[in-house]
Amino acid sequence: GTNAECCAGEYKTQTSGACYAGMANAPSAAPSAVADIKYYPDYDTDYEAATCLPGTMDGRPSFSSMAACCIGSYPDQTSGACFAGMANAPSAAPSALSDIKYYPDYDTDY
């Protein structure tokens, strides 16, 4: 699943917000449900430097994860900037969402 899904599933009672704070472009408050987390493409930045931002914006597509936004909005981006903006960024841009996995960090205090 996504980083947000991992936080919502494994750390749903965490009051510090540390899991969400570790996300690239972290939400300002922990969402009440994974479905509440959306990302949109930053069309105001040059294509090769652009990334996806949390939230929604009128006239722009909305995605359920930053990875989905990167794949859907910047499929030909050779710089890797969109994926590099993710917390725990992949070492290479994945070709499909099914290639991206997150896991809980049980070695760190809750």
Side-chain angles (χ1 to χ4, degrees):
T2 67
N3 193 344
E5 289 170 336
C6 181
C7 290
E10 296 295 323
Y11 302 102
K12 60 185 161 222
T13 60
Q14 184 184 61
T15 58
S16 67
C19 188
Y20 288 102
M23 294 172 60
N25 300 313
S28 57
S32 58
V34 172
D36 294 340
I37 301 169
K38 303 290 183 209
Y39 292 88
Y40 68 93
D42 180 8
Y43 292 149
D44 297 328
T45 300
D46 179 69
Y47 187 88
E48 286 299 321
T51 188
C52 291
L53 303 171
T56 59
M57 180 176 264
D58 287 343
R60 296 192 188 181
S62 178
F63 297 89
S64 61
S65 71
M66 189 164 175
C69 182
C70 290
I71 290 171
S73 302
Y74 305 107
D76 301 319
Q77 188 182 61
T78 58
S79 67
C82 192
F83 285 100
M86 296 172 63
N88 303 313
S91 56
S95 58
L97 287 178
S98 60
D99 295 341
I100 300 170
K101 305 289 183 226
Y102 289 92
Y103 60 92
D105 178 6
Y106 292 125
D107 295 330
T108 302
D109 283 343
Y110 192 73

